[in-house]
Amino acid sequence: MVKKDRGSLALSTLAVHGTAPVRETDAPIVSPLHQSVNYVQEVGTADGMRYPRYGNGPNAEIVQKRLAAIEGAEGALVLSSGMGATACALLALLRPGDHLLASSWLYGGTRTLLTEEFATLGIEVSLVDPMESRGWRKRMRKQTRAIFLESPVNPSCRVVDLRPISYLTHDSGLALVVDSTFASPVNLRPIELGADVVIHSATKYLNGHHDVLSGVVCGTASYIEEVRQKMMIWGQAPDPFACWMLDRGLKTLDVRVQRQNANAMAIARWCEARKDVRRVHYPGLTDHPDHEVARTMLDGFGGMLGIEISAGAKGTEKFLRKLKLWRHAPSLGGVDSLVSEPRYSSHVHLTPDERARLGVPDGFLRLSVGIEAAEDLIADLEQALK
Ligand SMILES: *Cc1c(COP(=O)(O)O)cnc(C)c1O
Protein backbone atom coordinates (compact mmCIF):
# COMPACT_ATOMS: atom_id res chain seq x y z
CA MET A 1 0.00 0.00 0.00
CA VAL A 2 1.10 3.54 -0.76
CA LYS A 3 2.77 5.37 2.09
CA LYS A 4 1.48 8.91 1.96
CA ASP A 5 3.41 11.96 3.04
CA ARG A 6 1.85 13.35 6.21
CA GLY A 7 4.27 16.18 6.95
CA SER A 8 6.74 15.83 9.82
CA LEU A 9 4.63 13.83 12.31
CA ALA A 10 2.89 10.50 11.72
CA LEU A 11 -0.85 10.19 12.27
CA SER A 12 -0.41 8.12 15.45
CA THR A 13 1.78 10.87 16.95
CA LEU A 14 -0.60 13.64 15.92
CA ALA A 15 -3.50 11.72 17.45
CA VAL A 16 -1.73 11.74 20.84
CA HIS A 17 -0.04 15.15 20.87
CA GLY A 18 -1.57 17.29 18.17
CA THR A 19 0.99 19.48 16.43
CA ALA A 20 2.44 21.02 19.61
CA PRO A 21 2.47 19.21 22.97
CA VAL A 22 2.31 21.48 26.04
CA ARG A 23 5.68 21.23 27.83
CA GLU A 24 5.56 23.71 30.74
CA THR A 25 6.42 22.36 34.20
CA ASP A 26 3.28 21.24 36.04
CA ALA A 27 1.15 21.32 32.90
CA PRO A 28 -1.27 18.37 32.97
CA ILE A 29 -0.49 15.60 30.49
CA VAL A 30 -4.20 15.19 29.82
CA SER A 31 -6.11 18.28 28.70
CA PRO A 32 -8.39 19.28 31.60
CA LEU A 33 -12.13 19.13 31.09
CA HIS A 34 -13.64 22.62 31.11
CA GLN A 35 -17.21 21.67 31.93
CA SER A 36 -18.36 25.29 31.85
CA VAL A 37 -20.65 26.95 29.35
CA ASN A 38 -19.79 30.48 30.45
CA TYR A 39 -16.48 32.33 30.43
CA VAL A 40 -15.60 35.78 31.74
CA GLN A 41 -15.78 38.22 28.86
CA GLU A 42 -13.60 41.25 28.25
CA VAL A 43 -15.52 44.49 28.86
CA GLY A 44 -16.20 46.75 25.88
CA THR A 45 -15.73 44.22 23.05
CA ALA A 46 -17.34 41.09 21.56
CA ASP A 47 -13.94 39.81 20.37
CA GLY A 48 -12.84 36.52 21.84
CA MET A 49 -16.19 35.82 23.51
CA ARG A 50 -16.42 32.12 24.37
CA TYR A 51 -19.60 30.06 24.32
CA PRO A 52 -19.66 26.33 23.56
CA ARG A 53 -22.53 26.68 21.08
CA TYR A 54 -20.13 28.80 18.97
CA GLY A 55 -17.68 25.89 18.78
CA ASN A 56 -14.98 27.78 20.68
CA GLY A 57 -15.01 26.15 24.12
CA PRO A 58 -11.48 25.12 25.21
CA ASN A 59 -12.09 21.36 24.83
CA ALA A 60 -13.68 21.85 21.39
CA GLU A 61 -10.71 23.92 20.22
CA ILE A 62 -8.18 21.31 21.38
CA VAL A 63 -9.85 18.41 19.59
CA GLN A 64 -10.61 20.47 16.48
CA LYS A 65 -6.93 21.34 15.98
CA ARG A 66 -5.98 17.70 16.42
CA LEU A 67 -8.60 16.49 13.93
CA ALA A 68 -7.55 19.05 11.32
CA ALA A 69 -3.93 17.88 11.64
CA ILE A 70 -4.94 14.22 11.34
CA GLU A 71 -7.05 14.79 8.20
CA GLY A 72 -4.51 17.18 6.64
CA ALA A 73 -7.12 19.99 6.57
CA GLU A 74 -6.78 23.71 7.35
CA GLY A 75 -9.64 23.53 9.79
CA ALA A 76 -12.05 21.20 11.56
CA LEU A 77 -15.24 21.66 13.52
CA VAL A 78 -16.75 19.22 16.04
CA LEU A 79 -20.54 18.98 16.10
CA SER A 80 -23.10 17.16 18.20
CA SER A 81 -23.51 14.15 15.86
CA GLY A 82 -22.58 12.80 12.46
CA MET A 83 -25.97 13.89 11.14
CA GLY A 84 -25.45 17.38 12.59
CA ALA A 85 -22.09 17.49 10.81
CA THR A 86 -23.55 16.38 7.47
CA ALA A 87 -26.49 18.80 7.70
CA CYS A 88 -24.37 21.85 8.62
CA ALA A 89 -21.60 20.95 6.13
CA LEU A 90 -24.12 20.92 3.27
CA LEU A 91 -26.17 23.90 4.48
CA ALA A 92 -22.94 25.90 4.36
CA LEU A 93 -22.42 24.92 0.69
CA LEU A 94 -25.92 24.98 -0.81
CA ARG A 95 -28.57 27.69 -1.26
CA PRO A 96 -32.19 27.40 -2.47
CA GLY A 97 -32.07 26.71 -6.22
CA ASP A 98 -28.76 24.86 -5.97
CA HIS A 99 -28.38 21.27 -7.08
CA LEU A 100 -26.46 18.50 -5.33
CA LEU A 101 -25.25 15.27 -6.90
CA ALA A 102 -25.20 12.54 -4.27
CA SER A 103 -24.29 8.90 -4.38
CA SER A 104 -27.32 6.61 -4.12
CA TRP A 105 -25.29 4.47 -1.70
CA LEU A 106 -25.68 6.45 1.50
CA TYR A 107 -26.24 6.03 5.20
CA GLY A 108 -30.02 5.92 5.77
CA GLY A 109 -30.25 9.15 7.78
CA THR A 110 -28.20 11.05 5.20
CA ARG A 111 -30.45 9.80 2.44
CA THR A 112 -33.54 11.11 4.24
CA LEU A 113 -31.84 14.45 4.92
CA LEU A 114 -30.99 14.90 1.25
CA THR A 115 -34.13 13.58 -0.39
CA GLU A 116 -36.75 14.83 2.09
CA GLU A 117 -35.44 17.72 4.20
CA PHE A 118 -33.44 19.46 1.49
CA ALA A 119 -36.43 19.35 -0.88
CA THR A 120 -38.37 21.53 1.59
CA LEU A 121 -35.50 24.06 1.50
CA GLY A 122 -35.55 24.30 -2.30
CA ILE A 123 -32.28 22.39 -2.69
CA GLU A 124 -32.50 19.80 -5.46
CA VAL A 125 -30.71 16.50 -5.06
CA SER A 126 -30.08 13.83 -7.73
CA LEU A 127 -29.00 10.39 -6.58
CA VAL A 128 -26.39 8.79 -8.81
CA ASP A 129 -25.25 5.17 -8.93
CA PRO A 130 -21.56 5.80 -8.11
CA MET A 131 -20.45 2.84 -10.24
CA GLU A 132 -22.24 4.00 -13.41
CA SER A 133 -19.70 5.08 -15.99
CA ARG A 134 -19.82 8.89 -16.50
CA GLY A 135 -22.91 8.91 -14.25
CA TRP A 136 -21.82 12.05 -12.37
CA ARG A 137 -21.01 14.00 -15.51
CA LYS A 138 -24.29 13.04 -17.20
CA ARG A 139 -26.39 14.42 -14.33
CA MET A 140 -24.46 17.66 -13.84
CA ARG A 141 -26.48 20.85 -14.29
CA LYS A 142 -25.69 24.56 -14.41
CA GLN A 143 -26.90 24.78 -10.78
CA THR A 144 -24.84 21.82 -9.52
CA ARG A 145 -22.61 22.94 -6.64
CA ALA A 146 -21.23 19.77 -5.11
CA ILE A 147 -20.84 16.00 -5.20
CA PHE A 148 -21.49 14.08 -1.99
CA LEU A 149 -20.54 10.45 -1.40
CA GLU A 150 -19.46 7.83 1.10
CA SER A 151 -16.49 5.56 0.59
CA PRO A 152 -16.28 2.81 1.74
CA VAL A 153 -20.07 2.60 1.69
CA ASN A 154 -22.22 1.80 4.74
CA PRO A 155 -23.18 -1.06 4.92
CA SER A 156 -22.33 -2.75 1.60
CA CYS A 157 -18.53 -2.18 1.99
CA ARG A 158 -18.29 -1.17 -1.69
CA VAL A 159 -15.40 1.24 -2.30
CA VAL A 160 -15.98 4.25 -4.54
CA ASP A 161 -12.82 5.56 -6.22
CA LEU A 162 -12.44 9.23 -5.20
CA ARG A 163 -9.68 9.95 -7.70
CA PRO A 164 -11.66 10.26 -10.98
CA ILE A 165 -14.43 12.13 -9.16
CA SER A 166 -12.00 14.66 -7.74
CA TYR A 167 -10.64 15.33 -11.27
CA LEU A 168 -14.22 16.02 -12.34
CA THR A 169 -15.05 18.31 -9.39
CA HIS A 170 -11.80 20.27 -9.85
CA ASP A 171 -12.47 20.62 -13.59
CA SER A 172 -16.02 21.81 -13.07
CA GLY A 173 -15.55 23.99 -9.99
CA LEU A 174 -17.69 21.78 -7.75
CA ALA A 175 -16.99 20.87 -4.15
CA LEU A 176 -16.29 17.20 -3.41
CA VAL A 177 -17.75 16.24 -0.04
CA VAL A 178 -16.85 12.82 1.39
CA ASP A 179 -18.39 11.04 4.38
CA SER A 180 -15.30 9.13 5.46
CA THR A 181 -16.78 7.54 8.59
CA PHE A 182 -16.20 3.93 7.50
CA ALA A 183 -12.54 4.41 6.62
CA SER A 184 -11.39 6.62 9.50
CA PRO A 185 -8.32 8.78 8.79
CA VAL A 186 -6.07 5.78 9.49
CA ASN A 187 -7.23 4.09 6.27
CA LEU A 188 -8.10 7.11 4.10
CA ARG A 189 -7.55 10.86 4.08
CA PRO A 190 -9.79 12.13 1.26
CA ILE A 191 -8.20 15.60 1.16
CA GLU A 192 -4.95 13.99 -0.04
CA LEU A 193 -6.96 12.68 -3.00
CA GLY A 194 -8.51 16.02 -3.89
CA ALA A 195 -11.67 16.11 -1.74
CA ASP A 196 -12.68 19.54 -0.43
CA VAL A 197 -14.73 18.53 2.59
CA VAL A 198 -14.47 15.50 4.88
CA ILE A 199 -17.25 14.48 7.25
CA HIS A 200 -17.15 11.89 10.02
CA SER A 201 -19.62 10.48 12.42
CA ALA A 202 -17.10 10.69 15.28
CA THR A 203 -19.51 8.46 17.19
CA LYS A 204 -17.82 5.63 15.28
CA TYR A 205 -14.06 5.10 14.79
CA LEU A 206 -12.79 8.54 15.88
CA ASN A 207 -14.09 8.16 19.41
CA GLY A 208 -14.21 4.40 19.16
CA HIS A 209 -15.63 3.43 22.55
CA HIS A 210 -19.43 3.49 22.04
CA ASP A 211 -19.81 6.31 24.55
CA VAL A 212 -19.84 9.62 22.65
CA LEU A 213 -22.20 11.00 20.03
CA SER A 214 -20.44 13.55 17.81
CA GLY A 215 -19.53 14.54 14.28
CA VAL A 216 -16.70 16.33 12.50
CA VAL A 217 -16.39 18.49 9.39
CA CYS A 218 -12.92 19.23 7.92
CA GLY A 219 -12.06 21.69 5.13
CA THR A 220 -10.52 25.09 4.41
CA ALA A 221 -10.48 27.64 7.23
CA SER A 222 -12.97 29.93 5.46
CA TYR A 223 -15.39 27.10 4.73
CA ILE A 224 -15.18 25.79 8.32
CA GLU A 225 -16.10 29.30 9.49
CA GLU A 226 -19.29 29.06 7.37
CA VAL A 227 -20.12 25.65 8.81
CA ARG A 228 -19.58 27.11 12.28
CA GLN A 229 -22.13 29.84 11.53
CA LYS A 230 -24.68 27.16 10.58
CA MET A 231 -23.85 25.09 13.65
CA MET A 232 -24.38 28.10 15.95
CA ILE A 233 -27.76 28.99 14.51
CA TRP A 234 -29.11 25.47 14.02
CA GLY A 235 -27.84 24.54 17.48
CA GLN A 236 -25.67 21.57 16.54
CA ALA A 237 -22.69 22.19 18.83
CA PRO A 238 -21.32 19.46 21.11
CA ASP A 239 -21.15 19.57 24.90
CA PRO A 240 -17.65 20.14 26.41
CA PHE A 241 -17.67 16.64 27.91
CA ALA A 242 -18.25 15.06 24.49
CA CYS A 243 -15.24 16.99 23.13
CA TRP A 244 -13.08 15.89 26.04
CA MET A 245 -14.11 12.25 25.59
CA LEU A 246 -13.45 12.45 21.86
CA ASP A 247 -10.00 13.89 22.56
CA ARG A 248 -9.29 10.87 24.77
CA GLY A 249 -10.70 8.38 22.27
CA LEU A 250 -8.61 9.83 19.44
CA LYS A 251 -5.33 9.06 21.19
CA THR A 252 -5.75 5.34 20.52
CA LEU A 253 -7.26 5.73 17.03
CA ASP A 254 -4.27 4.32 15.18
CA VAL A 255 -3.77 1.19 17.29
CA ARG A 256 -7.49 0.50 17.43
CA VAL A 257 -8.01 0.75 13.68
CA GLN A 258 -4.85 -1.25 12.86
CA ARG A 259 -6.16 -4.05 15.08
CA GLN A 260 -9.65 -3.79 13.60
CA ASN A 261 -8.22 -3.97 10.07
CA ALA A 262 -6.27 -7.12 10.98
CA ASN A 263 -9.20 -8.74 12.81
CA ALA A 264 -11.63 -8.02 9.95
CA MET A 265 -9.22 -9.52 7.42
CA ALA A 266 -8.85 -12.68 9.50
CA ILE A 267 -12.62 -13.00 9.93
CA ALA A 268 -13.31 -12.32 6.23
CA ARG A 269 -10.83 -15.07 5.22
CA TRP A 270 -12.33 -17.49 7.70
CA CYS A 271 -15.89 -16.77 6.50
CA GLU A 272 -14.81 -17.08 2.87
CA ALA A 273 -13.72 -20.68 3.48
CA ARG A 274 -17.00 -21.72 5.15
CA LYS A 275 -19.83 -23.49 3.37
CA ASP A 276 -22.38 -22.08 5.83
CA VAL A 277 -21.47 -18.50 4.82
CA ARG A 278 -22.83 -17.81 1.35
CA ARG A 279 -21.18 -14.47 0.69
CA VAL A 280 -18.56 -12.26 2.27
CA HIS A 281 -18.37 -8.57 1.43
CA TYR A 282 -14.91 -7.31 2.38
CA PRO A 283 -12.73 -5.12 0.13
CA GLY A 284 -9.59 -6.86 1.37
CA LEU A 285 -10.59 -10.11 -0.37
CA THR A 286 -9.20 -10.39 -3.88
CA ASP A 287 -12.57 -11.34 -5.38
CA HIS A 288 -14.32 -8.24 -4.00
CA PRO A 289 -15.49 -6.09 -6.95
CA ASP A 290 -13.59 -3.04 -5.64
CA HIS A 291 -10.48 -4.82 -4.37
CA GLU A 292 -8.18 -3.04 -6.85
CA VAL A 293 -9.57 0.41 -5.97
CA ALA A 294 -9.33 -0.40 -2.26
CA ARG A 295 -5.75 -1.71 -2.59
CA THR A 296 -4.53 1.46 -4.30
CA MET A 297 -6.64 4.04 -2.45
CA LEU A 298 -6.81 2.83 1.15
CA ASP A 299 -4.04 2.28 3.69
CA GLY A 300 -6.11 -0.50 5.27
CA PHE A 301 -9.23 -2.39 4.26
CA GLY A 302 -11.19 -1.45 7.36
CA GLY A 303 -12.94 -3.07 10.27
CA MET A 304 -16.36 -3.46 8.63
CA LEU A 305 -17.59 -6.42 6.67
CA GLY A 306 -20.84 -7.87 5.40
CA ILE A 307 -21.80 -11.54 5.42
CA GLU A 308 -24.79 -13.49 4.15
CA ILE A 309 -25.14 -16.84 5.84
CA SER A 310 -26.33 -19.90 3.91
CA ALA A 311 -29.30 -20.35 6.27
CA GLY A 312 -30.76 -17.29 4.55
CA ALA A 313 -32.70 -14.33 5.92
CA LYS A 314 -34.79 -16.61 8.18
CA GLY A 315 -31.72 -18.31 9.66
CA THR A 316 -30.07 -15.01 10.60
CA GLU A 317 -32.35 -14.52 13.60
CA LYS A 318 -31.34 -17.84 15.12
CA PHE A 319 -27.69 -17.09 14.37
CA LEU A 320 -27.90 -13.68 16.06
CA ARG A 321 -29.52 -15.14 19.17
CA LYS A 322 -26.74 -17.73 19.54
CA LEU A 323 -23.85 -15.23 19.43
CA LYS A 324 -22.19 -14.60 22.80
CA LEU A 325 -19.38 -12.08 22.21
CA TRP A 326 -20.81 -10.30 19.20
CA ARG A 327 -23.72 -8.15 20.28
CA HIS A 328 -26.65 -7.12 18.15
CA ALA A 329 -26.52 -3.31 18.09
CA PRO A 330 -26.85 -0.71 15.36
CA SER A 331 -23.66 1.36 15.67
CA LEU A 332 -20.11 0.62 14.56
CA GLY A 333 -16.44 1.48 14.78
CA GLY A 334 -15.87 0.86 18.49
CA VAL A 335 -13.72 -1.50 20.52
CA ASP A 336 -16.59 -3.98 21.07
CA SER A 337 -17.57 -6.19 18.13
CA LEU A 338 -21.15 -5.57 17.01
CA VAL A 339 -23.43 -7.09 14.43
CA SER A 340 -26.49 -5.52 12.88
CA GLU A 341 -29.06 -6.20 10.22
CA PRO A 342 -29.45 -3.11 8.04
CA ARG A 343 -33.06 -4.11 7.24
CA TYR A 344 -33.87 -3.49 10.91
CA SER A 345 -31.56 -0.53 11.50
CA SER A 346 -29.97 1.96 9.09
CA HIS A 347 -32.03 0.89 6.04
CA VAL A 348 -35.36 0.09 7.71
CA HIS A 349 -37.26 2.76 5.72
CA LEU A 350 -36.42 1.18 2.32
CA THR A 351 -38.29 -1.68 0.63
CA PRO A 352 -36.54 -5.08 0.29
CA ASP A 353 -36.10 -4.37 -3.45
CA GLU A 354 -34.55 -0.98 -2.82
CA ARG A 355 -32.17 -2.52 -0.31
CA ALA A 356 -31.22 -5.32 -2.68
CA ARG A 357 -30.35 -2.71 -5.33
CA LEU A 358 -28.00 -1.05 -2.82
CA GLY A 359 -26.25 -4.37 -2.34
CA VAL A 360 -27.97 -5.11 0.99
CA PRO A 361 -30.39 -8.03 0.46
CA ASP A 362 -32.45 -9.34 3.39
CA GLY A 363 -30.20 -11.60 5.43
CA PHE A 364 -27.22 -9.27 5.00
CA LEU A 365 -25.38 -8.96 8.31
CA ARG A 366 -23.08 -6.04 8.95
CA LEU A 367 -20.17 -6.87 11.22
CA SER A 368 -18.33 -4.09 13.03
CA VAL A 369 -15.16 -5.77 14.18
CA GLY A 370 -13.74 -4.69 17.53
CA ILE A 371 -10.33 -5.12 19.12
CA GLU A 372 -10.93 -8.48 20.84
CA ALA A 373 -8.77 -11.48 19.84
CA ALA A 374 -9.70 -12.59 16.32
CA GLU A 375 -9.71 -16.26 17.36
CA ASP A 376 -12.36 -15.59 20.03
CA LEU A 377 -14.51 -13.67 17.58
CA ILE A 378 -14.19 -16.47 15.04
CA ALA A 379 -14.97 -19.17 17.60
CA ASP A 380 -18.13 -17.29 18.54
CA LEU A 381 -19.23 -17.08 14.89
CA GLU A 382 -18.48 -20.79 14.47
CA GLN A 383 -20.59 -21.93 17.44
CA ALA A 384 -23.50 -19.71 16.33
CA LEU A 385 -23.38 -21.07 12.77
CA LYS A 386 -23.75 -24.67 14.01
C1 LIG B 1 -23.49 6.65 11.80
C2 LIG B 1 -23.25 7.32 10.52
C3 LIG B 1 -23.70 8.63 10.29
C4 LIG B 1 -24.51 9.40 11.32
O1 LIG B 1 -23.76 9.65 12.46
P1 LIG B 1 -24.43 9.94 13.92
O2 LIG B 1 -23.22 10.24 14.75
O3 LIG B 1 -25.18 8.72 14.33
O4 LIG B 1 -25.33 11.13 13.74
C5 LIG B 1 -23.39 9.21 9.07
N1 LIG B 1 -22.70 8.54 8.12
C6 LIG B 1 -22.27 7.29 8.31
C7 LIG B 1 -21.51 6.60 7.22
C8 LIG B 1 -22.53 6.63 9.50
O5 LIG B 1 -22.12 5.37 9.68
Side-chain angles (χ1 to χ4, degrees):
M1 279 178 212
V2 210
K3 182 89 193 94
K4 281 146 191 149
D5 180 21
R6 323 197 27 77
S8 56
L9 296 175
L11 184 145
S12 53
T13 311
L14 289 171
V16 176
H17 293 289
T19 48
V22 182
R23 304 190 55 82
E24 286 97 61
T25 299
D26 280 343
I29 299 300
V30 173
S31 312
L33 167 61
H34 299 265
Q35 189 64 34
S36 177
V37 293
N38 291 124
Y39 293 85
V40 177
Q41 184 188 353
E42 198 177 330
V43 176
T45 175
D47 291 349
M49 186 173 75
R50 276 194 203 270
Y51 188 50
R53 183 163 50 76
Y54 299 179
N56 63 4
N59 292 103
E61 288 191 334
I62 290 165
V63 72
Q64 283 163 182
K65 277 207 198 99
R66 193 161 306 179
L67 285 161
I70 288 172
E71 278 291 357
E74 265 177 42
L77 188 71
V78 176
L79 297 94
S80 57
S81 69
M83 283 306 300
T86 305
C88 292
L90 292 174
L91 286 171
L93 277 176
L94 303 166
R95 303 283 172 270
D98 284 350
H99 175 240
L100 173 72
L101 283 175
S103 166
S104 55
W105 297 350
L106 289 177
Y107 175 74
T110 308
R111 192 187 172 99
T112 307
L113 173 75
L114 300 188
T115 57
E116 292 176 30
E117 294 298 312
F118 279 15
T120 69
L121 301 175
I123 296 165
E124 280 202 65
V125 179
S126 304
L127 297 181
V128 179
D129 176 343
M131 294 297 167
E132 180 190 335
S133 151
R134 298 175 57 83
W136 302 105
R137 195 179 286 277
K138 277 188 247 165
R139 282 167 193 80
M140 253 165 61
R141 304 180 191 164
K142 215 169 72 233
Q143 298 82 3
T144 309
R145 295 285 170 261
I147 290 181
F148 179 93
L149 60 90
E150 267 174 45
S151 186
V153 177
N154 182 6
S156 67
C157 299
R158 293 295 303 266
V159 185
V160 180
D161 194 346
L162 300 182
R163 292 161 292 190
I165 304 173
S166 83
Y167 296 137
L168 176 67
T169 52
H170 281 212
D171 252 14
S172 343
L174 310 184
L176 175 56
V177 185
V178 178
D179 178 339
S180 195
T181 299
F182 251 46
S184 92
V186 176
N187 292 336
L188 176 68
R189 282 130 349 249
I191 289 172
E192 290 173 356
L193 301 179
D196 301 287
V197 179
V198 177
I199 296 170
H200 286 278
S201 166
T203 314
K204 317 291 171 55
Y205 287 101
L206 293 182
N207 178 65
H209 291 74
H210 314 277
D211 51 11
V212 172
L213 192 69
S214 62
V216 180
V217 183
C218 303
T220 63
S222 60
Y223 167 72
I224 290 299
E225 179 52 30
E226 295 194 29
V227 183
R228 199 173 73 87
Q229 296 296 327
K230 297 294 174 195
M231 178 182 83
M232 282 165 55
I233 299 307
W234 291 78
Q236 293 301 314
D239 186 77
F241 186 58
C243 297
W244 184 81
M245 289 284 279
L246 177 56
D247 184 21
R248 178 193 168 114
L250 266 183
K251 295 192 186 212
T252 55
L253 175 70
D254 192 61
V255 284
R256 280 189 281 109
V257 173
Q258 301 293 355
R259 173 65 162 255
Q260 287 164 313
N261 287 343
N263 277 356
M265 190 65 166
I267 292 165
R269 288 213 173 109
W270 182 84
C271 288
E272 196 184 26
R274 299 280 304 194
K275 280 210 186 59
D276 40 14
V277 180
R278 190 170 52 195
R279 278 195 74 184
V280 186
H281 306 257
Y282 187 64
L285 298 178
T286 51
D287 65 351
H288 186 277
D290 309 318
H291 177 67
E292 204 43 40
V293 172
R295 200 182 57 78
T296 55
M297 185 173 84
L298 304 174
D299 288 344
F301 295 114
M304 300 298 301
L305 70 149
I307 59 170
E308 295 167 54
I309 63 173
S310 305
K314 284 204 194 88
T316 56
E317 192 177 318
K318 223 163 133 193
F319 171 73
L320 289 172
R321 289 188 197 285
K322 279 165 85 178
L323 288 169
K324 294 189 176 99
L325 282 175
W326 296 82
R327 281 175 291 174
H328 183 239
S331 195
L332 65 105
V335 292
D336 297 50
S337 290
L338 302 178
V339 52
S340 79
E341 265 191 286
R343 65 171 162 162
Y344 295 127
S345 54
S346 56
H347 291 64
V348 65
H349 53 284
L350 299 179
T351 66
D353 275 354
E354 285 172 320
R355 283 193 293 264
R357 257 181 275 133
L358 301 177
V360 197
D362 285 353
F364 183 105
L365 291 171
R366 186 187 75 178
L367 307 187
S368 170
V369 181
I371 63 167
E372 305 94 328
E375 58 266 31
D376 292 335
L377 295 173
I378 288 171
D380 194 30
L381 294 174
E382 184 167 28
Q383 64 79 22
L385 279 167
K386 274 188 190 138

